[in-house]
Amino acid sequence: MNEIIVYTDGGCSGNPGPGGWGIVVIADGVAKQLSGGEALTTNNKMELSAAIAALSVIKNTPSFAGRKVIVNIDSQYVKNGITQWIHSWKAKGWKTADKKPVKNQELWVQLDALNSSMDVEWNWVKGHAGIEYNEVCDQLCQQEIAKFR
């Protein structure tokens, strides 16, 4: 098993409000946890930030080069955005189907660049369903939010 398994979560207390994200990157038998947050942000920004952080860690780890990455994420917004919607957003000059600017474009651009440079499979997982590493990510996220309260 040469794959790298990733779990991510992001969230806010209030939307907007203080937010946090957490990731677990599992490779070569080691599960590494990272987290971060912002004093005033949105849930979607934190979900995107988690995915960006995870893929950035992988991209910046030379021994991970060329390996398949499986991202387990509980955000339909991020999963559908990066696997489906982004193609039409880019074709339409970063406009949505109703011709409005795509929200969080700067984060989508970052995520797209990372995603395009790797072999990534995106899997949606149900949040708060007892999935071990998804729960760890949620705990990391909550710890970050608490720093801003």
Side-chain angles (χ1 to χ4, degrees):
M1 183 172 122
N2 212 17
E3 300 169 331
I4 299 165
I5 309 296
V6 173
Y7 287 83
T8 74
D9 194 21
C12 272
S13 178
N15 196 20
W21 56 263
I23 65 172
V24 178
V25 177
I26 307 162
D28 307 321
V30 177
K32 180 172 178 136
Q33 301 176 15
L34 292 169
S35 61
E38 295 180 28
L40 184 63
T41 187
T42 66
N43 186 68
N44 286 341
K45 282 183 180 179
M46 291 294 93
E47 293 281 9
L48 283 162
S49 295
I52 290 165
L55 294 186
S56 294
V57 164
I58 293 164
K59 184 165 184 77
N60 293 317
T61 304
S63 63
F64 293 169
R67 293 167 64 176
K68 181 170 183 70
V69 179
I70 299 173
V71 177
N72 297 287
I73 188 165
D74 64 7
S75 168
Q76 292 275 10
Y77 170 72
V78 175
K79 190 237 181 218
N80 291 337
I82 198 63
T83 61
Q84 300 170 30
W85 308 330
I86 199 161
H87 308 294
S88 86
W89 290 341
K90 291 188 331 186
K92 295 176 182 172
W94 290 97
K95 301 277 190 244
T96 62
D98 59 0
K99 299 185 175 39
K100 293 182 179 167
V102 171
K103 289 182 180 173
N104 305 311
Q105 178 184 335
E106 68 288 349
L107 296 174
W108 284 113
V109 169
Q110 288 179 54
L111 185 58
D112 183 44
L114 289 163
N115 185 61
S116 299
S117 71
M118 302 179 204
D119 179 10
V120 183
E121 176 184 316
W122 294 86
N123 293 321
W124 180 78
V125 295
K126 184 171 175 53
H128 310 288
I131 300 166
E132 179 185 3
Y133 288 113
N134 182 258
E135 296 293 342
V136 169
C137 290
D138 181 62
Q139 290 169 0
L140 292 168
C141 176
Q142 294 305 317
Q143 289 169 7
E144 291 293 333
I145 291 170
K147 292 177 183 178
F148 298 105
R149 286 197 178 132

